[in-house]
Amino acid sequence: MSATARKTAPLPEDIRAMKGRAPIVSLTAYTTPMARMMDSACDFVLVGDSLGMVVHGMTSTLGVTMEMMILHGQAVARGLSRAMLVIDMPFGSYEESPAQAFRNAARIMRETGAAAVKLEGGQHMAETIAFLVARGVPVMAHIGLTPQSVNTLGGYKVQGRGEAAERLMADARAVAEAGAFSVVLEKLPSVLADRITAGIDIPTIGIGAGAGCDGQILVVDDMLGLFTAFKPKFVKRYAELGDAGTAAIAAYAEEVRARTFPAPEHGFAEESPS
């Protein structure tokens, strides 16, 4: 049985219709409890392949598998009743051919109940995006810094500076014309992100691309201070839950060693009271 979000969640066309209106709010999620926390605040929730680094301790997203995305997608779906569910297609699951992309996208949607998939790439992925959309698979595109291409981009660098700006403008136009209902802009100069937002008719979702995009997304573990291995410049920490958790675990360990936990109120009597 697939884990599915309720039908009250918005559809990709609803997100597309938000272009130029109230900013679109989104976050990543990887578990049911986290999905429940953000469901009422977000327009859509993304199960990002960032789970490889955030949850599984990988050094990049390249080792993430279809099985991992589906497992976490099912978990997040169980926590959503209002927000739309989008799931990343992992590295190697769509680049070979449009037919390969369709098989894997269909599996993700079938087994998780996701309303859409997200894939990385601009002009070179336009044919694949059009192929998927024509066959009933809504696609969120992703250009700029595309983490699955980190080895060819030379690291996690800002994209679109200088002459590269026109290539990214062309990428944005290509994915919009191919039928993507929105596009993530990652780690671009704000001025370029503003140009792209004004120049295409689908919403732009920024992550490190300035305030002028049609919406914003962050990795939830970054903004809550749970992931502390590094902090991208574009992340604002809205809480420091990692520090709070570390302190709570230390306090628990101290009380266990001092035999002050569990206390009498945490135990059970030999006989239940009448």
Side-chain angles (χ1 to χ4, degrees):
M1 180 181 296
S2 67
T4 57
R6 295 182 203 165
K7 293 180 180 178
T8 53
L11 295 172
E13 280 304 305
D14 298 320
I15 300 297
R16 181 171 185 152
M18 295 178 72
K19 173 75 177 181
R21 295 166 55 192
I24 299 163
V25 178
S26 58
L27 288 166
T28 64
Y30 316 114
T31 64
T32 304
M34 192 66 78
R36 287 175 177 154
M37 289 174 63
M38 64 182 66
D39 184 41
S40 63
C42 291
D43 297 300
F44 75 86
V45 170
L46 173 69
V47 182
D49 60 358
S50 51
L51 64 86
M53 302 169 77
V54 174
V55 179
H56 295 277
M58 297 178 176
T59 56
S60 75
T61 63
L62 299 181
V64 175
T65 65
M66 282 282 293
E67 288 69 27
M68 292 166 69
M69 295 308 304
I70 289 169
L71 179 66
H72 286 278
Q74 290 170 340
V76 170
R78 296 184 190 107
L80 298 182
S81 61
R82 177 192 175 278
M84 187 179 79
L85 176 61
V86 182
I87 298 183
D88 264 342
M89 297 194 71
F91 178 69
S93 69
Y94 61 94
E95 297 91 340
E96 181 180 333
S97 68
Q100 180 210 29
F102 177 75
R103 285 194 301 274
N104 286 320
R107 181 186 171 197
I108 287 172
M109 294 178 70
R110 180 173 62 248
E111 296 186 27
T112 67
V117 297
K118 181 171 78 63
L119 56 80
E120 297 181 3
Q123 298 170 75
H124 68 286
M125 291 308 300
E127 178 186 359
T128 295
I129 293 171
F131 188 91
L132 294 178
V133 172
R135 286 156 181 80
V137 178
V139 176
M140 178 178 291
H142 182 160
I143 64 172
L145 174 60
T146 47
Q148 293 175 10
S149 302
V150 63
N151 290 331
T152 57
L153 294 175
Y156 297 96
K157 301 176 181 178
V158 175
Q159 302 295 304
R161 285 176 168 156
E163 295 179 358
E166 295 311 312
R167 176 181 58 80
L168 282 177
M169 282 293 307
D171 283 340
R173 294 190 186 102
V175 299
E177 290 169 3
F181 70 90
S182 61
V183 57
V184 171
L185 308 181
E186 181 165 358
K187 214 165 183 180
L188 305 184
S190 299
V191 171
L192 174 58
D194 291 349
R195 283 182 59 204
I196 292 173
T197 300
I200 59 175
D201 62 359
I202 61 173
T204 57
I205 311 298
I207 177 167
C213 296
D214 294 298
Q216 299 291 329
I217 189 167
L218 284 176
V219 171
V220 70
D221 293 66
D222 284 342
M223 56 89 73
L224 291 179
L226 288 168
F227 182 75
T228 57
F230 59 87
K231 177 182 174 292
K233 178 182 179 181
F234 56 77
V235 170
K236 177 179 178 179
R237 288 266 169 84
Y238 286 82
E240 294 291 351
L241 301 189
D243 291 345
T246 299
I249 290 168
Y252 161 76
E254 182 179 348
E255 290 188 8
V256 169
R257 294 187 176 110
R259 296 191 182 278
T260 58
F261 176 83
E265 63 266 27
H266 303 119
F268 300 92
E270 184 175 355
E271 296 181 2
S272 59
S274 56

